[in-house]
Amino acid sequence: EKNISQFDISLISTNDEDEKSTTIGINAIKAMQQKLFLKPLKGDMKACIITEADKLTLPAQNALLKALEEPPINTLIFLLIQKATALLPTIRSRCSEINISGKEISISPEEKDQLYKEWLRLKKASLGEKLKNAQDLAKEKDASISMLEKFLIVLAGQLDESIKSHDEN
């Protein structure tokens, strides 16, 4: 919708500086700030997504304030957090909050079996059949999203069962 190319999206996470790091430090924020002031490569806008922003160190949060106070034109900054209270009040006051907490999805055992069988059918389907299914799904966005969420839950369950049975052997 905002015409942001994948090349114009920067991701920052806890393991950017060190694979074992559990925090996001000031160096990651300084590197992000340098990218923010560059023009978008392909789209009209660029975006920076800080995953686990509630793990920003205090110096990193203070460095982030500069970008939030005077964001570069055509730039969106997303802070993904579990607990808003982990961020400085000055950061929270400069952000718009969008609550996207997950909703509980319940699936009956019969529906799980049906979805898994459908997944197996799709997996074996020809390219034409897969494209037809995708086209049909695209007609009803909300129903499609719900079905895909259920597919993910069922497949995650199947993966868990597979791992457990592998560990037992």
Side-chain angles (χ1 to χ4, degrees):
E1 183 178 305
K2 298 285 185 183
N3 193 21
I4 301 173
S5 164
Q6 66 184 17
F7 297 105
D8 295 320
I9 298 174
S10 299
L11 291 172
I12 297 175
S13 65
T14 54
N15 60 7
D16 281 352
E17 294 176 18
D18 177 3
E19 296 261 335
K20 297 177 185 175
S21 180
T22 58
T23 61
I24 301 172
I26 192 168
N27 291 338
I29 299 303
K30 286 183 178 180
M32 174 206 73
Q33 287 173 328
Q34 289 177 342
K35 289 180 183 178
L36 289 181
F37 290 96
L38 299 174
K39 288 176 58 176
L41 291 173
K42 290 198 170 199
D44 296 333
M45 296 187 74
K46 59 191 174 302
C48 177
I49 303 169
I50 303 176
T51 63
E52 301 175 300
D54 40 0
K55 295 184 179 177
L56 285 161
T57 63
L58 188 58
Q61 288 187 49
N62 284 319
L64 179 61
L65 275 173
K66 173 77 172 149
L68 294 176
E69 287 170 348
E70 300 173 21
I73 195 162
N74 297 334
T75 301
L76 298 173
I77 302 172
F78 296 91
L79 308 176
L80 307 181
I81 58 172
Q82 295 291 322
K83 298 181 299 181
T85 56
L87 294 176
L88 293 170
T90 49
I91 287 181
R92 293 194 318 263
S93 70
R94 288 164 176 78
C95 297
S96 298
E97 184 177 327
I98 302 171
N99 188 349
I100 55 172
S101 61
K103 59 183 182 280
E104 191 67 31
I105 299 173
S106 62
I107 306 172
S108 70
E110 296 81 24
E111 191 177 12
K112 282 183 183 179
D113 288 342
Q114 182 183 3
L115 284 165
Y116 188 65
K117 288 175 184 173
E118 177 65 11
W119 174 258
L120 292 175
R121 186 191 70 75
L122 284 171
K123 193 172 152 184
K124 294 176 183 175
S126 70
L127 179 59
E129 291 173 301
K130 289 177 183 176
L131 290 172
K132 172 76 171 104
N133 279 325
Q135 183 180 26
D136 292 343
L137 278 174
K139 291 177 184 174
E140 294 194 32
K141 181 180 173 185
D142 291 337
S144 300
I145 290 171
S146 176
M147 190 181 86
L148 290 172
E149 287 173 335
K150 289 179 180 181
F151 266 135
L152 289 173
I153 291 168
V154 169
L155 293 174
Q158 289 291 327
L159 180 61
D160 283 344
E161 287 178 25
S162 176
I163 290 170
K164 285 177 188 173
S165 68
H166 183 268
D167 288 343
E168 291 172 0
N169 294 333

